[in-house]
Amino acid sequence: MFLYDIARKINHKRKLRQKELAGLYLSPVRRIERVAPSSKGRYVAMTFDDGPSALPPNPLTKIEYAHEGLTDILLDILGRYDAKGTFDVIGTTEYNYPDKAGKVNYFSWGGMKFDHYPDFKKDSSGGVKNQLETARRMISEGHELSNHGYRHVLFGPMKIVYGRRAYYKNLQEVIDDLSVLHDYVLTELNYEMKLSRPPHYIDRILGGHSSYDVYKYMGYQYLAASFDGGGWKPSSGNYKTDVDMMVKPLEQALLSDPDILNGQIIFQKDGCNMSRQTPVADALDEHLRLLSQAGYKIITASELLKISPFSDIGDKDPAFEYVQHLAILGHCIGYKNNTFQPDRILTNGELAVMLTPPEVLNKIHREQYDQNSKEHPYYKVIMLASKQSWFRKTWGSKGDFMVNEPVSVKGFEKFLNCISDGEDIDWTPSFHNGYLKRRDVMSCLAGLTNKAVYNKLYV
């Protein structure tokens, strides 16, 4: 565990650096850890990894748990509080053999080469493939499913922690794995997943790729988390202490500031900790009780994103309702680190990306999901836009369009005149040394999506 904790700290610092770099270009995939808190209430999302599981809790602390699987128990508890969860489900680990049983109290507790959920040689008790009715119950009760990998195999290597643990060898293998689960859930449950979390948060894929490339192809958002609900580390040796260690951090956080979890995403386990025990079965009720007493509504991650899509613009901002409208419609208006950056100067390239209808942009992204491309991130969007008459009328055909150049007020007005086609397009210009901040065009772009001229931008 010492090496594991060190590796997690190193990985955390690396991801903080990556997060800084992730705010450079608009991205169809955003890493959602938390969002700006709502001023209209306290909202938090709760996520559960690695289920569904039909094994009863360990240890059995309540007689009524003896004949009920862990996931059904969690669903019962959520139901008592009218709480909705997001379940990062797997397909099955039954194909992750040959393998040897893992060592209890270590990250490899479920298996030496592969993960096995809910436990080694008990794979048939876990995963959507084997527990289809439990997954069906999740959906019918208003919970959300997120793609956590069909076989829960690592996307790529992390030898410092996982040693010789099996991992996928290329981008296509990861896409194939996620697609199997996506298609299975769609076919069997008529449910389309929109979120995904990589197994063990391993992002790197061999060949210079990452989970963002996979999710760009799949049309997913990256579901991360900002608050650890606990319940995954080795036991202290005392089960009651383990439960208390899950409850105390959340209780202390709320005591320090009742608003502290507003907009956050909580991580939970729908399965065992490293000691093959399930303290979540007893801690979840306490978590929900504390949150409910503090006035929180526990909702799915997707519901949270509808209330507040980005981490840096709240609902008191004058531009918020337009940003929210465009984000819900699926427009690419944010950065990989889930920021919107309202006061950043708008560039020509960003304007072209934000203008592109979601269905057109999704097609482009599905064709260009390989980050190894040496082209500018907006290249294919610009190439498609340059074939449209409004683009040529605005920027001409002599290379006047400079992708990273700021959009001037006059330039934006010229664009509006080119596309107006007789329709009245409302826009009140704001001046910042002759250029526009991103917030300045949001009301205009949001209104434009409801006009007939918008449907004529791409033909």
Side-chain angles (χ1 to χ4, degrees):
M1 278 302 296
F2 175 74
L3 283 178
Y4 186 72
D5 287 337
I6 292 295
R8 280 174 59 86
K9 290 178 181 178
I10 293 173
N11 195 40
H12 177 68
K13 290 182 178 179
R14 180 177 62 82
K15 286 187 174 180
L16 286 177
R17 175 56 179 161
Q18 288 178 337
K19 191 173 182 179
E20 292 176 5
L21 297 174
L24 299 178
Y25 295 104
L26 296 178
S27 172
V29 180
R30 312 193 313 271
R31 191 177 195 273
I32 317 295
E33 294 182 356
R34 61 187 302 168
V35 299
S38 171
S39 67
K40 300 174 182 178
R42 292 173 179 164
Y43 300 93
V44 66
M46 191 171 285
T47 63
F48 299 84
D49 280 18
D50 306 332
S53 171
L55 288 186
N58 178 35
L60 280 172
T61 57
K62 296 180 174 65
I63 189 70
E64 61 267 27
Y65 288 174
H67 304 291
E68 195 171 10
L70 174 65
T71 304
D72 280 320
I73 291 169
L74 299 182
L75 291 172
D76 291 343
I77 297 170
L78 288 165
R80 290 202 291 270
Y81 292 88
D82 193 27
K84 307 301 179 186
T86 297
F87 287 81
D88 297 299
V89 298
I90 66 164
T92 179
T93 54
E94 64 189 272
Y95 307 118
N96 292 353
Y97 294 96
D99 198 6
K100 294 180 180 179
K103 188 176 180 181
V104 71
N105 296 330
Y106 288 86
F107 69 89
S108 59
W109 63 270
M112 296 303 295
K113 188 176 180 181
F114 296 99
D115 287 313
H116 297 277
Y117 295 131
D119 204 349
F120 192 79
K121 293 293 186 182
K122 296 179 181 178
D123 310 78
S124 62
S125 294
V128 173
K129 176 180 176 293
N130 303 308
Q131 304 302 323
L132 195 60
E133 289 309 308
T134 301
R136 198 183 308 278
R137 178 187 173 188
M138 291 175 181
I139 296 168
S140 68
E141 294 182 3
H143 303 290
E144 179 175 35
L145 304 190
S146 169
N147 196 329
H148 200 39
Y150 189 75
R151 294 174 54 202
H152 202 274
V153 172
L154 301 180
F155 283 6
M158 183 179 274
K159 294 184 179 180
I160 190 172
V161 176
Y162 295 101
R164 297 182 180 180
R165 177 61 67 97
Y167 55 85
Y168 287 121
K169 300 302 189 292
N170 55 59
L171 181 65
Q172 191 59 52
E173 287 187 357
V174 180
I175 289 174
D176 290 345
D177 176 84
L178 293 181
S179 295
V180 171
L181 182 54
H182 182 96
D183 294 344
Y184 184 83
V185 170
L186 185 60
T187 299
E188 297 295 330
L189 299 171
N190 193 32
Y191 183 92
E192 185 173 12
M193 294 183 286
K194 295 293 187 180
L195 302 170
S196 184
R197 177 177 288 165
H200 300 295
Y201 280 110
I202 305 299
D203 288 335
R204 184 168 72 92
I205 301 170
L206 291 181
H209 301 114
S210 76
S211 55
Y212 293 90
D213 302 314
V214 179
Y215 295 160
K216 184 188 293 186
Y217 179 87
M218 299 293 298
Y220 287 158
Q221 293 298 341
Y222 186 141
L223 178 60
S226 52
F227 189 90
D228 189 354
W232 57 273
K233 289 184 177 181
S235 172
S236 65
N238 182 289
Y239 181 75
K240 185 179 183 305
T241 299
D242 296 341
V243 174
D244 288 341
M245 288 172 64
M246 289 185 66
V247 175
K248 288 298 181 185
L250 189 142
E251 183 177 37
Q252 291 169 358
L254 292 174
L255 285 173
S256 68
D257 179 5
D259 289 313
I260 196 168
L261 293 176
N262 196 4
Q264 291 210 45
I265 298 174
I266 299 175
F267 169 86
Q268 303 274 22
K269 280 279 290 184
D270 182 6
C272 301
N273 62 14
M274 295 184 189
S275 303
R276 293 192 170 94
Q277 293 185 335
T278 55
V280 67
D282 291 289
L284 179 60
D285 189 87
E286 284 298 298
H287 281 172
L288 296 177
R289 181 184 64 80
L290 290 166
L291 289 167
S292 296
Q293 286 180 347
Y296 278 86
K297 186 170 180 59
I298 300 92
I299 59 179
T300 67
S302 288
E303 288 172 324
L304 187 66
L305 285 170
K306 288 180 181 178
I307 291 172
S308 179
F310 298 102
S311 62
D312 63 341
I313 181 168
D315 56 16
K316 290 186 176 181
D317 191 293
F320 177 80
E321 66 173 292
Y322 309 113
V323 171
Q324 181 188 44
H325 172 77
L326 290 165
I328 289 174
L329 287 179
H331 287 261
C332 183
I333 60 172
Y335 300 89
K336 190 182 290 186
N337 59 8
N338 199 39
T339 59
F340 175 71
Q341 303 181 40
D343 293 316
R344 179 170 172 166
I345 298 298
L346 178 69
T347 66
N348 288 331
E350 289 186 338
L351 178 59
V353 172
M354 292 192 297
L355 280 170
T356 308
E359 63 275 11
V360 175
L361 202 59
N362 289 342
K363 185 175 185 295
I364 294 173
H365 289 148
R366 195 170 177 87
E367 294 171 350
Q368 190 195 16
Y369 59 90
D370 186 339
Q371 73 168 20
N372 285 332
S373 171
K374 295 181 181 179
E375 299 166 345
H376 191 283
Y378 304 154
Y379 175 77
K380 289 195 174 181
V381 175
I382 303 306
M383 288 300 98
L384 182 61
S386 66
K387 298 176 183 178
Q388 314 305 317
S389 62
W390 57 266
F391 185 97
R392 293 193 297 271
K393 290 177 182 177
T394 304
W395 286 284
S397 57
K398 298 180 180 180
D400 295 334
F401 182 91
M402 302 297 290
V403 65
N404 292 325
E405 286 296 308
V407 177
S408 67
V409 172
K410 289 184 178 179
F412 191 70
E413 287 178 334
K414 184 178 181 181
F415 157 74
L416 292 179
N417 288 333
C418 290
I419 68 167
S420 62
D421 195 27
E423 285 201 45
D424 183 27
I425 301 176
D426 295 328
W427 182 57
T428 303
S430 299
F431 295 88
H432 305 280
N433 297 321
Y435 296 110
L436 297 168
K437 292 182 179 180
R438 285 163 46 78
R439 65 164 65 252
D440 297 329
V441 301
M442 287 300 113
S443 63
C444 183
L445 295 185
L448 184 61
T449 60
N450 297 320
K451 294 183 178 292
V453 293
Y454 181 75
N455 296 323
K456 299 176 184 177
L457 288 183
Y458 286 82
V459 294

